[in-house]
Amino acid sequence: MDKDVRVRFAPSPTGALHIGGVRTALYNYLFARKTGGTMILRIEDTDQTRYVPGAEEYIQEALAWAGIELNESPWTGGPFAPYRQSERKASYMEYAQKLVNEGNAYYAFDTPEELEAMRERLKAARVANPQYDALSRMQMRNSLTMPEDEVKARITSGEPYVIRIKVPRKEEIRLNDLIRGWVMVHSATLDDKVLMKSDGMPTYHLANVVDDYLMKISHVIRGEEWLPSAPIHVLLYKFLGWEEQMPQFAHLPLILKPDGNGKLSKRDAERHGFPIFPLQWTDPNGGEQVAGFREEGYLPDALVNFLAFLGWSPGSTEELFTMPQLIEAFSLERIGKAGTKFDIDKAKWYNQQYLRMRSDDELTRMLQEQLDKNEVEYAPETARKVALEIKERAVFPQDLWKDGAVYFIRPARYDEAVAAKKWNAEAATIIEQFADAVENSSQALTAEGAKNLLQEVLDKNNVKIGRVMQAVRLALTGLGSGPDLMNMIEIIGNKETAERLRTALHQLQVNG
Ligand code: GLU
């Protein structure tokens, strides 16, 4: 590699981080780690009107949760501090001034009304692309159309102005994107973007380019929605004399709606009932609460694995990759151009795989947390046995509680449909005798032992097991389906088993 890899994730603190932003951060991180490079986070907060309090803390927490570590950031510091653009304000004007002095940018004094009037005029004249550009700029109030002393006078008198880039009229702008290949844009399609705003703050375009240069960024890895801005950035690198240091660009494919029709939005996620933010987000204006993957029970390593595959693939059929394995396998070459559909079932599948891989201790702790939350009393070994018994079926940690509650809490009600069909005199006889046998058993029943005991009772009465199994289940759990009953008896123990059987005999009417 001819220069050190330095990549950045550059979010704007305008609200919660979208899941696509987490993917962008992840790809930057994987690339940095893979190449032994540096992962930087820069807060792009030059648009004060869109600043949302709490967003920055949210970004920090979300990345930490996902295991995306930062080498340089506002929070960790670093050799190129500050890492917040609002704190770097002083440096941008200098570059904007240089662009003006060299004829690559200009002052513009147009009011919003004048800009609107220009657009109306161009529309009326049937100009296809009504914008502030090489054609229209000469009819506007700017330093290209005004005498120099007038411009100076206006500026010294404090009249508001912006600085705009002077996009060349006819030029082919090219950039070699690492994912998309050569991208060619004709300058006539671009407008003279504002670089410095009247509040003295730079816009995204200028601040982004200046900081990428000053922070020695080697690769810009970001979402495809920034591709239209890239030609402006290429022009800025050229105008500022930084072409040699221009980073390489890699624009990531879009994340599409589940049906593949367009970009995934917050509304799509709501409609389909899945989160779009990594963590729960409470809107500071209005207090609206939006679900997060973390709170819904997604495990960070599962979500990371899922996100890594949204646009990238290792080129094999293997799907389970921990963070270190992702780092090992990652390359920009294996990122696709085409958008990828967001498939929440795949995310759930990943979650299930990762949940199963958790250690016994961890699974036990997860279940215990839920038991404590629900104020259920339990013996720690029981919690452990239950967690291990049901882990295969659980997708989320809270499923351990959903499926496990039945081991700790006696049935409060009995499924009526099952009772009507399966609870009869024969079943009641078997269950009664089985309860006696369990009570009389001198040792704690294993699953095997419970099965033998039940079989003895059945044999004595000449009844086939299939005829009463549902009734036994109903008596023990109140439900028509659920976990393996013999294992359950082993876990809850003789006394609890007998008591549940007796309660059912007491509560359920015998039909027919
Ligand atoms: N501030 C931009 C954003 O919010 C960064 C785009 C880029 O990476 O250049 O996504």
Side-chain angles (χ1 to χ4, degrees), residues 8-14 24 28 42-45 50 85 204 208 212 220-223 225-226 233 249 251:
R8 86 300 193 273
F9 177 53
S12 298
T14 54
T24 300
N28 275 281
R42 183 174 70 226
I43 292 287
E44 302 212 320
D45 58 350
R50 296 186 60 217
Q85 289 186 326
Y204 156 72
N208 189 267
D212 281 349
V220 167
I221 304 169
R222 63 184 171 194
E225 62 273 30
W226 300 102
H233 301 173
F249 290 99
H251 287 93

Side-chain angles (χ1 to χ4, degrees), residues 27 176-181 221-222 249-253 332-333 335-338:
Y27 283 16
N176 193 1
D177 187 273
L178 290 171
I179 295 168
R180 327 194 69 84
I221 304 169
R222 63 184 171 194
F249 290 99
H251 287 93
L252 305 176
L332 295 177
E333 290 76 43
I335 297 175
K337 282 200 227 346

Side-chain angles (χ1 to χ4, degrees), residues 426 430 455 457-465 467-468:
E426 180 182 69
I430 299 292
Q455 195 57 54
V457 173
L458 290 164
D459 289 347
K460 217 173 356 174
N461 292 278
N462 209 5
V463 172
K464 289 245 181 313
I465 191 164
R467 293 176 62 92
V468 297

Side-chain angles (χ1 to χ4, degrees), residues 338-473:
T340 34
K341 283 186 216 167
F342 190 91
D343 176 5
I344 196 66
D345 290 330
K346 194 75 202 185
K348 288 182 185 163
W349 179 82
Y350 273 111
N351 216 57
Q352 183 168 32
Q353 306 307 311
Y354 277 84
L355 191 63
R356 280 181 194 167
M357 290 189 283
R358 288 294 193 266
S359 70
D360 295 355
D361 284 350
E362 174 85 350
L363 288 163
T364 306
R365 198 187 51 71
M366 285 175 176
L367 175 58
Q368 284 181 330
E369 238 168 52
Q370 309 270 343
L371 290 168
D372 292 337
K373 212 162 63 192
N374 288 282
E375 299 180 355
V376 174
E377 291 200 19
Y378 60 92
E381 325 84 69
T382 311
R384 189 181 185 84
K385 285 185 200 150
V386 171
L388 302 189
E389 174 72 8
I390 60 184
K391 70 170 186 183
E392 292 296 317
R393 286 197 293 153
V395 173
F396 299 110
Q398 58 271 29
D399 293 340
L400 295 173
W401 162 243
K402 259 194 255 149
D403 295 343
V406 75
Y407 293 83
F408 301 94
I409 301 172
R410 291 190 186 165
R413 282 181 296 109
Y414 297 90
D415 186 304
E416 280 173 25
V418 180
K421 261 199 358 233
K422 304 286 178 181
W423 194 265
N424 48 38
E426 180 182 69
T429 308
I430 299 292
I431 285 171
E432 176 134 41
Q433 292 181 21
F434 184 45
D436 291 343
V438 171
E439 265 167 4
N440 293 333
S441 171
S442 56
Q443 49 193 317
L445 286 171
T446 60
E448 187 68 23
K451 195 166 163 224
N452 292 340
L453 210 57
L454 179 60
Q455 195 57 54
E456 275 171 35
V457 173
L458 290 164
D459 289 347
K460 217 173 356 174
N461 292 278
N462 209 5
V463 172
K464 289 245 181 313
I465 191 164
R467 293 176 62 92
V468 297
M469 223 34 202
Q470 282 284 80
V472 177
R473 178 178 298 287

